[in-house]
Amino acid sequence: MFSSLTVEEWSHGLDSVASQVLQAAGVHGPPVDAFALARALDLTVAWDDNQQGRARYVRLRLRRGRPSRPTILLRADPRFERRHWAVAHEIGEHVAHRVFRLLGIDARAVSPKVREVVANQMAGRLLLPTAWFEAAAAACDWDLVALKARFATASHELIARRSLELPAPAIITIFDQGRLTWRRGNVPGRLPPLLSEEIQCWNVVHRHGRPDQTAYANGRVRGWPVHEPGWKREILRTEIAWEPAWV
């Protein structure tokens, strides 16, 4: 059932449902407030600091004779982007059945793992709707700082990772505390080890705490600091202008 669907079909289904949800909630542009979106969908958001995860979607039993009410139980978190992501994820859980119905999939046959993947993908599309995100990225030449200002409720990391779901070929690399922690691309073939130009760009960003960019044979490397007290993160975007030699 799932293997017969292409990546394009999955993406279309997710984008279509995300657009329907945003339109029904009266959201016509970024940034997307996940809490306001939940209210518009008649979802209750309640705080529960005793739970292990950041959030969970439940149907609370009300008084006898009244229907259960869909509720998002949310654990407090100092980072507002994490709070918005957690709520958006549970909204994704709430509307996942729409994605399955649109794709002709029996929701009863879906494993919890697949449902979790759909909720994650939906959260990314609610906070960074594909059409708005792609247009904004093109308008600002993929500048991470400008995109964060435009899509304020999404984290820098989410913006960077989500960019790999768009057609522009690129590699995203994330460093935390001077250590490479994540590296993915949307080009075919195995990713190369860090290029010398990537290391050079990262060194400038890490040491001086400012964006930097440098050209290399196949395109451009850009880097941005996400520094805060006690923690240093740097995000690189390696753009690929033509088919790389490592494919």
Side-chain angles (χ1 to χ4, degrees):
M1 141 174 53
F2 300 109
S3 59
S4 63
L5 295 171
T6 65
V7 172
E8 291 74 19
E9 287 171 328
W10 268 109
S11 295
H12 175 71
L14 290 160
D15 286 336
S16 296
V17 173
S19 295
Q20 292 168 11
V21 170
L22 292 167
Q23 185 175 10
V27 180
H28 303 297
V32 176
D33 183 328
F35 290 82
L37 187 58
R39 289 194 297 271
L41 296 173
D42 201 27
L43 291 168
T44 298
V45 177
W47 299 97
D48 180 8
D49 289 340
N50 294 320
Q51 63 185 355
Q52 291 185 341
R54 290 181 186 169
R56 60 194 176 106
Y57 174 76
V58 298
R59 285 187 172 271
L60 294 181
R61 240 182 230 182
L62 302 177
R63 285 180 292 182
R64 183 177 296 179
R66 298 182 63 187
S68 60
R69 184 173 181 81
T71 301
I72 296 171
L73 297 178
L74 186 65
R75 191 181 68 190
D77 193 295
R79 299 189 68 92
F80 83 99
E81 296 101 332
R82 288 178 184 166
R83 297 194 297 269
H84 280 279
W85 166 261
V87 172
H89 178 276
E90 301 312 315
I91 293 174
E93 175 73 17
H94 178 65
V95 301
H97 69 281
R98 299 192 197 181
V99 178
F100 300 131
R101 184 172 63 244
L102 184 63
L103 296 174
I105 297 171
D106 184 354
R108 295 169 298 181
V110 174
S111 69
K113 183 177 180 180
V114 171
R115 195 176 186 95
E116 177 71 9
V117 169
V118 169
N120 279 330
Q121 290 289 318
M122 185 58 61
R125 283 165 166 79
L126 291 174
L127 296 177
L128 296 162
T130 299
W132 302 348
F133 183 42
E134 189 167 16
C140 72
D141 192 23
W142 298 92
D143 182 68
L144 185 59
V145 174
L147 288 170
K148 181 67 174 79
R150 182 77 169 142
F151 298 89
T153 55
S155 69
H156 292 88
E157 181 179 359
L158 176 60
I159 293 169
R161 290 191 184 212
R162 179 91 166 90
S163 72
L164 294 178
E165 297 172 10
L166 300 180
I171 298 169
I172 298 296
T173 308
I174 299 176
F175 295 86
D176 287 296
Q177 296 294 83
R179 184 172 62 90
L180 192 157
T181 55
W182 197 85
R183 181 171 169 84
R184 299 286 188 280
N186 59 1
V187 293
R190 294 183 61 185
L191 289 180
L194 282 170
L195 306 173
S196 60
E197 293 86 355
E198 290 177 309
I199 296 173
Q200 174 188 332
C201 182
W202 170 68
N203 275 324
V204 172
V205 177
H206 177 69
R207 292 175 181 174
H208 301 290
R210 61 173 173 80
D212 190 53
Q213 64 177 347
T214 185
Y216 78 109
N218 284 341
R220 176 176 62 167
V221 181
R222 306 178 73 187
W224 299 269
V226 186
H227 292 177
E228 55 189 50
W231 195 267
K232 281 189 173 184
R233 164 172 286 181
E234 296 83 34
I235 298 177
L236 300 187
R237 176 181 172 85
T238 304
E239 300 170 355
I240 303 166
W242 58 81
E243 185 172 300
W246 59 81
V247 172

